[in-house]
Amino acid sequence: MSRTPMNSSPVPESAPADDPRPWWRFKMMWLVVGGPLVVVAASFATLTLALKNPDPVIQTAEHVSADQVSNAPAMQGRNHAATGGVK
């Protein structure tokens, strides 16, 4: 009866060491590389959106112009919520 030693593990049948397939044919490689590639692509899409549609500058209640008077209560509420205190 032939026994394998306890410290050696057999090579799995599905991935022999001399597999002639090219590197892009292994599914595990796409799991390891594909995730970060998706994140990088999403960051470039986000950067494009941010550069094409910048947010307007929000001024504080002390520097409100005549055309922004209607936004003053909302900005005061935002500042109050951010600081936690009463002005």
Side-chain angles (χ1 to χ4, degrees):
M1 207 181 239
S2 164
R3 293 183 141 204
T4 57
M6 294 294 265
N7 59 358
S8 69
S9 61
V11 177
E13 297 279 335
S14 62
D18 58 348
D19 196 349
R21 294 184 297 172
W23 62 270
W24 64 86
R25 297 282 184 174
F26 291 93
K27 292 179 183 176
M28 180 60 80
M29 189 278 310
W30 291 111
L31 288 174
V32 171
V33 175
L37 285 178
V38 168
V39 171
V40 169
S43 68
F44 280 117
T46 304
L47 177 65
T48 303
L49 288 172
L51 292 176
K52 286 187 177 182
N53 305 314
D55 289 337
V57 176
I58 298 176
Q59 298 176 355
T60 59
E62 294 85 30
H63 300 99
V64 175
S65 64
D67 60 338
Q68 294 177 334
V69 172
S70 62
N71 291 335
M75 285 191 260
Q76 287 174 350
R78 181 205 63 196
N79 291 340
H80 174 73
T83 60
V86 179
K87 273 191 158 181

